[in-house]
C-alpha cells in the first residue's frame, strides 16, 4: 500500500503505534504478573481497545482533562500517567500515584490531566461535566473526555450528564468505548437500541460512530470532534466500536464469547493490523517496530521492578487524607480542643435564617469568582423552593447561579468535578430526602476523592439540603432527618445550624473549607428564627459546640430545630428544680466531644435529642462515647431520644407525636433523674 493512501500522516501512524505498543506491554506485564502470583490485585483487561486512547493521545495534551473507569489502564498509559507510579499504586505501595490508597480503579493524576478514575459504572460523566464547567467558566480551551463502556449507557447518571452537558453546551466528549460487552452480558441481552451514538440526538446534541480499531479513520473522526468541542460548539457523543478480547476481570481470553466471534475479533485487533500496515506501506521496517516494542517492554519492566521495590503503604496512613486536617477524623479517646469563634462585632442586620443563608452566599460569591451555585430552581425570581438564594442570580448572572434540570446526580457530579478543578461550588438539594437519588456521588465520590487520590486531588464543595419534620403535610418522602447516613461516611463534614447567626457563619466556613461539607437547613427554622446577624464575612469554626444554657444537673445535647425544644424543655424542668445545661453541637463531623464531655463531667447526666429516627441514630454514638469515657463518674447512663422507628406520617397528629417534642424531652429527663 502506498503511503499516500493511508488517510493519515505516516509519522502520526507511527506515533499512535508507539502508544499502542506501550499499552500492550503494560497489559502483558499485568497478565504475566497475575498469572505468576507476583501481583495480587484485580485486573479488568482492556485488550483489544488500545487504538482508542493511543489515537486520542495525539490530539490532546496534559491540559485536557480525562475521566475514566476501572478498566481504563490503557487510557491512563496513553494519557501520560507515570508507569512506575501506576504500578506502585496498583500494588498498594507508598510510591504509588495516590500513595497506594486508591489502587488502579481510582487513579488520580492531575499532572497528566487524568483527574478521576471511578470504579462505579457510569458515575464518571456527571463528574466530567464539572471539569468542563470549570474550563468554560474560566475561558480555557481545555477539552474533557470521559471514557465509559457500552454497559454504562444503561445507567441513569450517564443520561443525566448528557442532558446537562447539552443544555449548557459544555466542552465535553462522551467517549463510549463500545467493546460489545456490559461486564459479562452481550449488548443484545441488555438493550434494544440499534446503537448508542443516536442517544445524543434525542438529547439535542451530536453523536458519531467511529471505528475504534482503525487508527487512520479514528484519528480523522476524532480530530474533527475534538476541534469542534475545543472551539466551543458543545458536547459530542462518540461511540467507538471495538471488541474486548479478555474477560470482564482476570487474565486470558474472553471466555463468554463464542470461538468464532473471538477468532473474528482477533483478526481485527488494532495492534496487529497497524503493525502490518506500517510494514506493508513501507513506513517502518520489522527491525524498527521490534525496537519500538522492545523500548516499551523495557520501560514497563523498569516500572514494575521499581514498583515492587517500593515499600507497602503502612497502617500509619490509615486516617491520613480522610480530611485535609487529620484532627477532624473522629477517634476513640482523642478529643481535640478547638478554639471557639471570637466575639462577633460590627454592623448587624435583623435576618431570618433563610435571609442569613442568602447573605452568606452573597458574601462568598462577592469575595471569590470561583464560587458558584447550582441546583433546581435556584435562580430568580424564586431563588429556590424556600427562597434561600433569592436575588443572587439577578446580581451575579446565570453562570454563577445555575438553574439545573431535575437531576440530583448531575448536580452533585458537576459540583464534584468543578471542585476537583479548583472551583468552590455550592450545590443545593431541595430536600434532604432526595439525597438518596445522588448518594453514590456524595458517598462514593465526593467523600472519597481526597483519600483515594492520596490528596492528589480533593473536592472543596458545599452541599446544602433542606430538612423537614414536625411541620406537617410533607409526608414520608419530604420529612426525614438523615444526618446519620452522612456521618457514617468518612470524608464528609456535616453541619446542622440552629439559628441565623450560625447558619451564615457555618455556611461561610463550609464554602471556604478544603473538604466536601454538607449543611443541613431546617425548614422549620428558615422563617421562624430571627436574629441580629453581622453583615460582613465571619466564620463559625467547624467542630466547635456551643453551650446555649448553663446548668448543673443534666446536659441536653442537640442540634438543628430540636435544640429549641431542648431549650424549652430546660425552662420547664427548671420549674421542678432541675437545672439543665443545653449544648448545641452545630457541627456533627467534626464533632466537639471535648466540650460535650466537659459538660457531662459537671452534670453527671446526659440526654441526646435529635429529630432523626432514634434506632442507629447519632445519639447512640454520642451516648456510647459518653458512657465509655465517663463510666464511674456518671449518676446515670447517658441516654438518647429520637423519632419513632417509622416513616414520617402525613397525619399531623402522628407526626407531632413520633418526633421528639418539648414534653417528650422533659419526660425523658425526669426519668433519667430518677436513676
Amino acid at each position: 500500500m502506498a503511503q499516500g493512501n493511508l488517510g493519515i500522516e505516516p509519522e502520526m501512524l507511527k506515533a499512535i503505534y508507539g502508544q499502542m505498543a506501550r499499552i500492550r506491554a503494560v497489559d502483558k506485564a499485568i497478565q504475566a504478573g497475575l498469572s505468576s502470583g507476583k501481583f495480587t490485585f484485580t485486573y479488568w483487561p482492556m485488550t483489544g481497545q488500545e487504538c482508542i486512547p493511543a489515537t486520542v493521545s495525539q490530539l490532546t495534551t496534559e491540559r485536557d482533562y480525562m475521566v475514566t473507569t476501572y478498566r481504563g489502564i490503557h487510557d491512563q498509559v496513553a494519557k501520560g500517567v507515570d508507569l512506575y507510579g501506576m504500578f506502585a499504586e496498583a500494588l498498594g505501595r507508598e510510591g504509588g500515584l495516590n500513595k497506594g490508597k486508591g489502587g488502579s480503579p481510582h487513579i488520580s493524576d492531575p499532572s497528566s490531566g487524568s483527574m478521576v478514575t471511578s470504579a462505579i459504572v457510569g458515575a464518571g460523566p456527571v463528574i466530567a461535566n464539572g471539569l468542563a464547567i470549570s474550563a468554560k467558566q474560566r475561558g480555557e480551551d481545555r477539552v474533557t473526555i470521559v471514557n465509559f463502556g457500552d454497559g454504562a449507557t444503561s445507567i441513569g447518571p450517564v443520561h443525566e450528564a448528557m442532558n446537562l452537558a447539552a443544555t449548557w453546551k459544555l466542552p465535553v466528549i462522551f467517549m463510549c468505548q463500545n467493546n460489545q460487552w456490559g461486564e459479562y452480558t452481550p449488548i443484545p441481552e441488555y438493550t434494544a437500541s440499534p446503537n448508542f451514538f443516536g442517544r445524543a440526538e434525542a438529547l439535542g446534541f451530536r453523536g458519531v460512530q467511529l471505528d475504534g480499531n482503525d487508527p487512520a479513520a479514528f484519528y480523522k473522526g476524532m480530530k474533527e470532534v475534538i476541534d469542534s468541542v475545543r472551539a466551543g460548539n458543545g458536547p459530542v457523543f462518540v461511540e467507538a466500536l471495538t471488541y474486548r478480547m479478555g474477560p470482564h476481570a482476570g487474565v486470558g481470553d474472553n471466555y463468554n464469547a463464542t470461538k468464532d466471534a473471538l477468532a473474528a475479533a482477533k483478526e481485527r485487533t488494532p495492534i496487529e493490523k497497524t503493525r502490518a500496515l506500517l510494514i506493508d506501506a513501507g513506513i517502518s521496517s520489522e527491525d524498527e517496530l521490534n525496537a519500538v516494542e522492545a523500548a516499551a517492554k523495557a520501560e514497563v519492566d523498569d516500572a514494575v521492578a521499581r514498583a515492587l521495590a517500593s515499600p507497602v503503604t503502612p497502617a500509619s496512613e490509615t486516617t491520613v487524607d480522610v480530611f485535609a486536617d487529620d484532627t477532624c477524623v473522629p477517634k476513640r479517646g482523642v478529643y481535640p480542643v478547638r478554639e471557639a469563634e471570637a466575639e462577633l462585632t460590627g454592623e448587624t442586620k435583623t435576618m431570618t435564617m433563610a435571609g442569613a443563608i442568602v447573605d452568606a452566599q452573597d458574601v462568598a460569591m462577592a469575595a471569590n469568582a470561583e464560587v458558584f451555585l447550582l441546583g433546581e430552581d435556584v435562580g430568580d425570581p424564586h431563588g429556590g423552593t424556600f427562597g434561600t438564594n433569592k436575588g443572587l442570580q439577578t446580581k451575579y448572572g446565570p453562570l454563577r447561579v445555575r438553574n439545573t434540570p431535575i437531576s440530583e446526580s448531575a448536580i452533585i457530579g458537576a459540583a464534584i468535578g468543578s471542585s476537583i478543578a479548583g472551583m468552590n461550588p455550592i450545590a443545593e438539594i431541595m430536600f434532604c430526602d432526595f439525597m438518596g437519588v445522588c448518594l453514590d456521588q456524595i458517598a462514593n465520590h465526593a467523600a472519597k476523592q481526597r483519600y483515594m487520590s492520596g490528596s492528589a486531588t480533593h473536592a472543596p464543595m458545599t452541599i446544602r439540603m433542606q430538612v423537614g419534620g414536625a411541620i406537617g403535610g410533607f409526608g414520608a418522602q419530604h420529612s426525614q432527618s438523615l444526618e446519620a447516613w452522612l456521618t457514617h461516611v468518612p470524608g464528609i463534614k456535616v453541619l446542622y445550624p440552629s439559628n441565623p447567626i450560625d447558619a451564615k457563619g457555618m455556611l461561610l466556613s463550609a464554602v471556604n473549607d478544603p473538604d466536601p461539607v454538607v449543611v443541613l437547613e431546617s425548614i422549620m427554622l428558615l422563617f421562624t428564627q430571627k436574629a441580629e446577624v453581622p453583615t460582613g464575612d465571619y466564620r463559625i469554626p467547624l467542630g466547635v459546640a456551643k453551650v446555649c444554657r448553663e446548668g448543673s444537673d443534666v446536659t441536653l445535647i442537640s442540634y438543628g430545630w430540636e435544640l429549641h425544644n431542648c431549650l424549652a424543655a430546660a425552662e420547664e424542668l427548671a420549674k421542678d428544680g432541675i437545672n439543665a445545661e443545653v449544648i448545641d453541637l452545630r457541627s456533627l463531623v467534626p464533632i466537639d466531644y471535648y466540650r460535650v464531655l466537659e459538660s457531662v463531667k459537671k452534670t453527671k447526666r446526659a440526654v441526646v435529642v435529635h429529630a432523626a429516627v432514634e434506632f442507629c441514630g447519632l445519639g447512640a454514638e454520642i451516648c456510647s462515647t459518653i458512657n465509655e469515657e465517663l463510666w464511674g463518674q456518671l449518676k446515670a447512663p447517658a441516654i438518647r431520644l429520637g423519632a419513632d422507628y417509622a416513616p414520617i406520617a402525613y397525619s399531623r397528629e402522628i407526626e407531632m407525636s413520633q418526633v421528639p417534642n418539648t414534653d417528650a424531652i422533659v419526660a425523658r429527663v425526669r426519668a433519667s433523674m430518677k436513676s
Side-chain angles (χ1 to χ4, degrees), residues 169-217:
K169 292 191 69 175
L170 296 178
V172 60
I173 296 169
F174 297 95
M175 178 68 74
C176 174
Q177 298 191 25
N178 182 356
N179 63 24
Q180 314 300 314
W181 292 88
E183 296 189 351
Y184 299 100
T185 306
I187 290 173
E189 292 185 21
Y190 69 75
T191 183
S193 296
N195 57 58
F196 297 112
F197 75 95
R199 298 183 182 188
E201 183 178 352
L203 292 171
F205 70 109
R206 185 161 65 104
V208 298
Q209 188 180 71
L210 302 174
D211 186 346
N213 282 6
D214 182 337

Side-chain angles (χ1 to χ4, degrees), residues 493-518:
K493 294 176 179 175
V494 185
L495 313 181
Y496 210 145
S498 66
N499 60 79
I501 295 172
D502 286 352
K504 178 178 175 180
M506 293 171 74
L507 181 51
L508 281 166
S509 290
V511 173
N512 289 280
D513 196 88
D515 295 305
V517 184
V518 174

Side-chain angles (χ1 to χ4, degrees), residues 335-338 543-547 554-559 581-588 590-608 618-619 621-627 629-630 634 638:
Y335 309 117
V337 184
R338 300 183 182 91
V544 178
K546 185 175 183 178
V547 177
V554 62
T555 301
L556 300 182
I557 303 157
S558 193
Y559 49 87
E581 183 150 298
V582 180
I583 291 184
D584 186 352
L585 282 179
R586 305 196 291 187
S587 171
L588 310 185
I591 191 168
D592 188 357
Y593 269 133
Y594 170 76
R595 287 176 172 81
V596 168
L597 293 172
E598 287 299 301
S599 174
V600 182
K601 284 177 186 177
K602 176 178 66 174
T603 64
K604 311 299 183 185
R605 289 183 173 88
V607 179
V608 185
L618 184 60
E621 153 63 30
I622 297 171
C623 288
S624 176
T625 298
I626 292 171
N627 290 330
E629 293 296 327
L630 301 182
L634 300 174

Side-chain angles (χ1 to χ4, degrees), residues 13-250:
L13 188 62
K14 288 170 64 175
I16 293 171
Y17 183 76
Q19 281 287 20
M20 287 198 283
R22 294 178 71 244
I23 294 168
R24 174 61 63 86
V26 168
D27 189 20
K28 285 184 175 181
I30 293 174
Q31 300 217 30
L34 291 171
S35 297
S36 67
K38 186 186 297 185
F39 299 161
T40 56
F41 54 82
T42 302
Y43 181 49
W44 299 270
M46 41 63 202
T47 320
Q49 299 177 221
E50 301 88 353
C51 177
I52 297 168
T55 303
V56 169
S57 71
Q58 305 306 308
L59 294 163
T60 56
T61 73
E62 71 280 355
R63 291 190 70 256
D64 294 307
Y65 293 134
M66 182 187 78
V67 176
T68 192
T69 74
Y70 56 91
R71 191 183 297 284
I73 289 289
H74 58 323
D75 299 322
Q76 308 286 7
V77 175
K79 193 71 175 77
V81 166
D82 176 69
L83 296 190
Y84 157 67
M86 185 185 76
F87 276 106
E89 185 62 30
L91 291 165
R93 306 302 174 97
E94 275 187 323
L97 286 164
N98 307 121
K99 303 182 185 179
K101 293 185 173 183
S104 61
H106 306 113
I107 284 173
S108 183
D109 178 41
S111 66
S112 68
S114 177
M115 304 303 287
V116 174
T117 305
S118 176
I120 308 295
V121 173
V126 289
I127 298 174
N129 278 348
L131 293 165
I133 287 170
S134 72
K136 184 170 183 176
Q137 200 137 318
R138 292 165 172 168
E140 300 170 338
D141 66 349
R142 300 178 195 255
V143 168
T144 297
I145 299 179
V146 53
N147 296 278
F148 51 92
D150 51 281
T153 60
S154 298
I155 201 163
V158 174
H159 298 267
E160 290 190 37
M162 291 165 62
N163 183 56
L164 187 73
T167 302
W168 292 351
K169 292 191 69 175
L170 296 178
V172 60
I173 296 169
F174 297 95
M175 178 68 74
C176 174
Q177 298 191 25
N178 182 356
N179 63 24
Q180 314 300 314
W181 292 88
E183 296 189 351
Y184 299 100
T185 306
I187 290 173
E189 292 185 21
Y190 69 75
T191 183
S193 296
N195 57 58
F196 297 112
F197 75 95
R199 298 183 182 188
E201 183 178 352
L203 292 171
F205 70 109
R206 185 161 65 104
V208 298
Q209 188 180 71
L210 302 174
D211 186 346
N213 282 6
D214 182 337
F218 193 65
Y219 178 85
K220 181 180 179 181
M222 281 306 302
K223 185 176 189 310
E224 188 277 327
V225 166
I226 291 173
D227 288 347
S228 173
V229 174
R230 202 182 296 281
N233 295 320
V236 177
F237 185 101
V238 176
E239 180 181 0
L241 297 174
T242 183
Y243 197 86
R244 193 187 77 212
M245 306 300 298
H248 169 57

Side-chain angles (χ1 to χ4, degrees), residues 351-668:
M351 299 183 194
T352 63
M353 192 159 160
I357 292 165
V358 174
D359 195 48
Q361 294 177 116
D362 187 12
V363 170
M365 295 175 77
N368 182 0
E370 298 276 77
V371 176
F372 73 100
L373 172 64
L374 71 163
E376 297 161 14
D377 307 313
V378 296
D380 290 330
H382 299 291
T385 300
F386 300 100
T388 49
N389 319 293
K390 202 169 185 63
L392 295 176
Q393 189 180 61
T394 300
K395 184 172 182 178
Y396 293 101
L399 296 183
R400 298 283 303 281
V401 180
R402 291 174 173 259
N403 277 330
T404 67
I406 301 175
S407 303
E408 280 79 11
S409 288
I411 294 167
I412 300 302
I416 293 170
S418 59
S419 68
I420 289 173
M423 301 188 80
N424 298 95
I426 304 171
E428 181 179 288
I429 299 298
M430 194 181 298
F431 280 85
C432 173
D433 314 68
F434 303 166
M435 173 173 45
V437 182
C438 54
L439 192 58
D440 170 59
Q441 288 295 321
I442 297 172
N444 279 323
H445 294 90
K448 297 175 182 174
Q449 187 61 34
R450 178 185 289 280
Y451 194 82
M452 292 190 304
S453 73
S455 288
T457 53
H458 64 288
M461 58 185 283
T462 303
I463 305 172
R464 294 178 39 244
M465 299 182 187
Q466 281 86 45
V467 186
I471 299 172
F474 278 132
Q477 295 178 343
H478 287 72
S479 306
Q480 301 167 90
S481 191
L482 299 173
E483 64 272 15
W485 287 14
L486 294 163
T487 58
H488 197 67
V489 178
I492 290 282
K493 294 176 179 175
V494 185
L495 313 181
Y496 210 145
S498 66
N499 60 79
I501 295 172
D502 286 352
K504 178 178 175 180
M506 293 171 74
L507 181 51
L508 281 166
S509 290
V511 173
N512 289 280
D513 196 88
D515 295 305
V517 184
V518 174
V519 183
L520 298 167
E521 301 164 358
S522 172
I523 297 169
M524 176 183 285
L525 302 180
L526 288 177
F527 299 100
T528 60
Q529 292 294 306
K530 290 185 178 181
E532 288 299 310
V533 179
T535 56
D537 186 349
Y538 66 93
R539 314 288 169 83
I540 301 295
L542 309 191
V544 178
K546 185 175 183 178
V547 177
C548 298
R549 184 186 193 277
E550 293 191 355
S552 56
D553 298 325
V554 62
T555 301
L556 300 182
I557 303 157
S558 193
Y559 49 87
W561 59 268
E562 285 290 5
L563 186 280
H564 298 277
N565 283 337
C566 285
L567 288 169
E571 294 303 313
E572 189 66 27
L573 290 165
K575 298 175 184 178
D576 297 343
I578 300 172
N579 190 6
E581 183 150 298
V582 180
I583 291 184
D584 186 352
L585 282 179
R586 305 196 291 187
S587 171
L588 310 185
V589 177
I591 191 168
D592 188 357
Y593 269 133
Y594 170 76
R595 287 176 172 81
V596 168
L597 293 172
E598 287 299 301
S599 174
V600 182
K601 284 177 186 177
K602 176 178 66 174
T603 64
K604 311 299 183 185
R605 289 183 173 88
V607 179
V608 185
V609 182
H610 53 62
V613 169
E614 183 175 292
F615 181 75
C616 291
L618 184 60
E621 153 63 30
I622 297 171
C623 288
S624 176
T625 298
I626 292 171
N627 290 330
E628 286 182 25
E629 293 296 327
L630 301 182
W631 179 251
Q633 302 180 49
L634 300 174
K635 292 182 179 179
I639 57 176
R640 67 198 191 278
L641 177 63
D644 293 337
Y645 190 79
I648 299 298
Y650 184 80
S651 162
R652 184 175 177 81
E653 183 174 350
I654 297 175
E655 181 179 0
M656 294 306 124
S657 67
Q658 70 184 122
V659 178
N661 55 34
T662 299
D663 291 342
I665 296 169
V666 169
R668 194 80 169 116

